[in-house]
């Protein structure tokens, strides 16, 4: 039945989610290539967790008052009545997997990397999507400051290999169970009398999570912040030592950084080190992370430390385009096979399949009839060799090989095709 205009269904990708088309894969391939290279250099192993988890896992760990839990999670009930959530981030899932599979048994500390889609229900805008991709590194079950530094160095190497310039790297500590409550008290003492001057969000957050007030982009809140107490003056000895060690490692490795006493993260599970990386071209964060020594305890495990960071892949691509960085993926040289006439068409696929079995990358558009149309397709594919099988060649059991760079054309025996192509393809 022909679809009438009335009954025609049109579908689009869900709001804030996009297709990654073949033409864009060159960017993704380059990033995955660099990610794998860095992971291998820094000795991180791949871990993959499901896109869905129990909603409670995130609610328990990210914090009830975090934006993610308050309004950004995709939560639904499964047919079996289980409340599930599309993962808004991966660290919590990885900790869940660590505990579930006793991964401490295999390596200590455990160094893992991940990549894949994350989901947050927020208003799509520049740099924000409802489905976005992250590449991340985590080092689990060790609280030594050397691992905070390794996470930061690995992310820097990632940007460096991609040739991303002008990275603004900010770092801070947000203390621990010992010193944080005291600083929290100081913040409350400072902000409570100013409550009426704060933005709506901050008024709401004040009692639950006063640290978030330091993060507010509102101009008024920013102005009030300038006289707010600074955590660096309220750290316990251990947190202070830890921070000094992390900064020492970073300086020893010649990484420029900015110590930002107002830097906090939106999720509850962080403690001590927090960091963010930005570039001037992008108004949002390119990479961020920190330490989370209480996370595993919160989701039901022992007291096991962790530190990690994640990179926004879509944002990297945007920056690369803005900084005019060519993804520069090495594509394998390819041959393009052209068949003209019935006989050639019939035997064409056998020749193509034989070459593919011999490891030669062959493109074709065997569905097309004319030589002209097939040559046009060969040009589009940027093939370095074009192989032409016509009626005459089928009869003589030969084939024409044309080198596209030099324009030189030769006729060779069909039985020698693989050998001849391999000799010329580089
Ligand atoms: Zn402390
Ligand atoms: Zn505010």
């Amino acid at each position: 039945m022909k679809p009438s205009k009335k009954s025609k269904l049109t579908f689009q990708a869900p709001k804030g989610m996009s297709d990654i088309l073949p033409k864009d894969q060159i960017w993704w391939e380059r990033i995955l290539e660099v990610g794998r290279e860095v992971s291998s250099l820094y000795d991180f192993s791949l871990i993959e967790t499901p896109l869905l988890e129990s909603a409670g896992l995130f609610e328990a760990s990210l914090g009830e008052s975090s934006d993610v839990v308050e309004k950004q999670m995709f939560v639904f009930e499964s047919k079996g009545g289980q409340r599930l959530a599309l993962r808004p981030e991966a660290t919590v899932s990885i900790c869940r997997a660590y505990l579930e599979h006793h991964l401490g048994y295999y390596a200590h500390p455990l160094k893992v990397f991940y990549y894949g889609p994350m989901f947050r229900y927020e208003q799509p805008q520049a740099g924000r999507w409802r489905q976005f991709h992250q590449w991340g590194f985590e080092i689990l079950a060790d609280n030594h400051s050397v691992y905070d530094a390794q996470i930061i160095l690995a992310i820097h190497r990632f940007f460096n290999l991609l040739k991303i310039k002008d990275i603004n790297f900010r770092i801070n500590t947000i203390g621990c169970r010992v010193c944080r409550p005291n600083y929290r008290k100081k913040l409350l003492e400072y902000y409570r009398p100013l409550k009426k001057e704060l933005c709506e969000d901050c008024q709401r957050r004040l009692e639950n999570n006063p640290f978030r007030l330091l993060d507010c982009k509102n101009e008024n809140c920013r102005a009030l912040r300038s006289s707010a107490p600074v955590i660096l003056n309220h750290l316990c000895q251990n947190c202070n030592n830890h921070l000094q060690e992390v900064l020492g490692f970073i300086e020893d490795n010649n990484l420029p950084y900015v110590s930002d006493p107002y830097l906090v993260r939106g999720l509850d599970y962080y403690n001590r080190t927090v960091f963010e990386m930005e570039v001037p071209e992008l108004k949002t964060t390119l990479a961020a992370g920190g330490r989370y020594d209480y996370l595993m305890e919160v989701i039901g495990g022992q007291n096991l430390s962790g530190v990690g960071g994640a990179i926004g892949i879509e944002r990297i691509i945007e920056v690369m385009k803005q900084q005019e960085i060519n993804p520069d993926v090495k594509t394998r040289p390819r041959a393009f096979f052209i068949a003209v006439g019935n006989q050639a068409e019939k035997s064409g696929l056998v020749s193509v399949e034989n070459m593919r079995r011999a490891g030669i990358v062959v493109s074709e558009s065997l569905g097309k009839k004319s030589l002209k149309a097939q040559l046009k397709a060969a040009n589009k594919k940027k093939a370095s060799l074009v192989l032409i099988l016509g009626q005459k060649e089928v009869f003589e059991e030969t084939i024409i090989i044309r080198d596209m760079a030099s324009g030189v054309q030769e006729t060779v025996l069909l039985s020698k095709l693989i050998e001849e192509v391999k000799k010329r393809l580089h």
Side-chain angles (χ1 to χ4, degrees):
M1 199 179 72
K2 235 182 164 181
S4 73
K5 235 186 182 165
K6 221 173 158 188
S7 68
K8 199 171 163 192
L9 293 169
T10 54
F11 295 108
Q12 289 179 334
K15 189 177 175 186
M17 303 188 177
S18 43
D19 303 304
I20 305 169
L21 303 174
K23 72 176 171 62
D24 297 321
Q25 293 295 343
I26 179 169
W27 302 91
W28 291 80
E29 275 171 32
R30 179 64 189 145
I31 287 164
L32 299 193
E33 189 182 74
V34 162
R36 286 202 172 269
E37 170 72 3
V38 173
S39 302
S40 147
L41 287 172
Y42 287 77
D43 197 20
F44 288 88
S45 313
L46 176 64
I47 186 164
E48 294 183 273
T49 59
L51 300 190
L52 292 172
E53 297 276 358
S54 299
L57 176 68
F58 298 114
E59 287 159 355
S61 54
L62 303 183
E64 295 287 345
S65 67
S66 68
D67 285 348
V68 175
V69 169
E70 258 187 0
K71 48 198 177 191
Q72 295 173 350
M73 280 216 294
F74 282 90
V75 180
F76 63 95
E77 198 169 294
S78 73
K79 283 183 182 169
Q82 202 188 354
R83 270 184 81 243
L84 296 172
L86 278 167
R87 62 177 186 193
E89 57 109 73
T91 303
V92 174
S93 305
I94 289 168
C95 288
R96 194 263 310 137
Y98 183 94
L99 295 170
E100 188 173 333
H101 304 286
H102 309 286
L103 295 181
Y105 175 81
Y106 301 98
H108 187 270
L110 182 75
K111 296 174 72 175
V112 288
F113 75 94
Y114 62 88
Y115 64 89
M118 310 296 156
F119 304 85
R120 289 189 194 180
Y121 194 87
E122 52 186 341
Q123 211 42 47
Q125 48 179 296
R128 287 188 196 282
W129 298 268
R130 288 184 176 176
Q131 178 178 331
F132 56 98
H133 295 73
Q134 286 185 334
W135 187 293
F137 301 104
E138 312 283 354
I139 302 179
L140 298 171
D142 204 315
N143 67 4
H144 198 289
S145 51
V146 77
Y147 296 115
D148 306 50
Q150 284 192 41
I151 292 285
I152 290 162
L153 288 167
I155 294 176
H156 262 270
R157 177 66 24 205
F158 202 116
F159 292 148
N160 207 277
L161 287 177
L162 284 171
K163 304 192 173 71
I164 292 173
K165 300 178 288 275
D166 308 326
I167 291 160
N168 171 19
F169 163 42
R170 291 179 301 130
I171 185 166
N172 189 25
T173 182
I174 55 170
C176 70
R177 274 176 180 164
V178 176
C179 54
R180 203 166 148 85
N182 184 35
Y183 177 57
R184 188 177 191 277
K185 226 169 76 194
K186 293 272 186 265
L187 273 182
L188 284 173
E189 279 168 17
Y190 172 76
Y191 275 116
R192 268 182 190 144
L194 305 169
K195 188 167 177 183
K196 289 219 170 72
E197 297 173 51
L198 295 166
C199 77
E200 250 177 62
D201 274 343
C202 286
Q203 291 195 13
R204 192 168 41 84
R205 282 174 186 150
L206 178 60
E207 296 300 325
N208 280 337
N209 194 348
F211 305 104
R212 292 298 309 281
L213 272 58
L214 302 171
D215 199 21
C216 184
K217 304 276 183 281
N218 180 292
E219 252 174 60
N220 244 353
C221 301
R222 284 235 147 163
L224 292 174
R225 189 183 74 177
S226 56
S227 322
V230 170
I231 187 147
L232 300 178
N233 299 329
H234 300 278
L235 290 177
C236 68
Q237 195 56 50
N238 288 338
C239 282
N240 194 42
N241 292 345
H242 193 271
L243 175 68
Q244 296 315 321
E245 285 163 19
V246 174
L247 296 180
F249 286 126
I250 288 168
E251 283 165 19
D252 292 347
N253 285 283
N254 302 314
L255 226 57
Y257 69 91
V258 175
S259 175
D260 177 355
Y262 300 121
L263 180 65
V264 293
R265 301 285 308 140
L267 306 177
D268 263 14
Y269 62 57
Y270 287 108
N271 69 309
R272 288 196 174 156
T273 309
V274 289
F275 64 87
E276 282 188 7
M277 291 161 201
E278 294 162 339
V279 290
E281 285 87 351
L282 212 66
K283 294 217 158 50
T284 47
T285 311
L286 200 53
R291 175 160 284 288
Y292 45 88
D293 294 332
Y294 311 128
L295 175 53
M296 291 218 243
E297 192 186 315
V298 167
I299 61 171
Q302 305 139 267
N303 187 354
L304 288 165
S305 312
V307 60
I311 299 165
I313 299 185
E314 280 86 351
R315 292 175 182 180
I316 292 191
I317 293 175
E318 238 180 287
V319 168
M320 285 173 76
K321 287 179 178 171
Q322 284 173 10
Q323 294 192 352
E324 292 174 2
I325 299 166
N326 201 317
D328 190 25
V329 173
K330 286 171 208 77
T331 46
R332 286 168 73 183
R334 62 179 66 232
F336 195 96
F337 191 92
I338 292 176
V340 186
N342 289 342
Q343 283 306 109
E345 229 172 73
K346 252 183 209 157
S347 61
L349 191 56
V350 173
S351 302
V352 168
E353 182 61 19
N354 284 338
M355 283 190 283
R356 285 175 176 161
R357 283 181 190 175
I360 297 167
V361 183
V362 189
S363 298
E364 40 68 36
S365 54
L366 290 171
K368 288 196 174 75
K369 292 275 178 215
S370 78
L371 175 63
K372 201 179 153 197
Q374 292 183 68
L375 275 171
K376 214 172 138 190
N379 273 325
K380 250 190 170 167
K381 277 282 177 190
K382 298 188 174 74
S384 38
L385 292 181
V386 170
L387 319 169
I388 306 168
L389 187 67
Q391 295 291 60
K392 179 169 168 264
E393 287 75 28
V394 172
F395 180 72
E396 291 174 351
E397 294 185 0
T398 60
I399 187 162
I400 297 167
I401 301 183
R402 183 190 291 179
D403 185 308
M404 295 303 270
S406 65
V408 174
Q409 192 164 298
E410 285 172 85
T411 301
V412 302
L413 285 174
L414 201 50
S415 58
K416 296 261 193 278
L417 178 61
I418 288 171
E419 202 179 304
E420 294 292 337
V421 168
K422 277 194 169 166
K423 211 160 46 180
R424 289 171 173 80
L425 211 55
H426 40 71

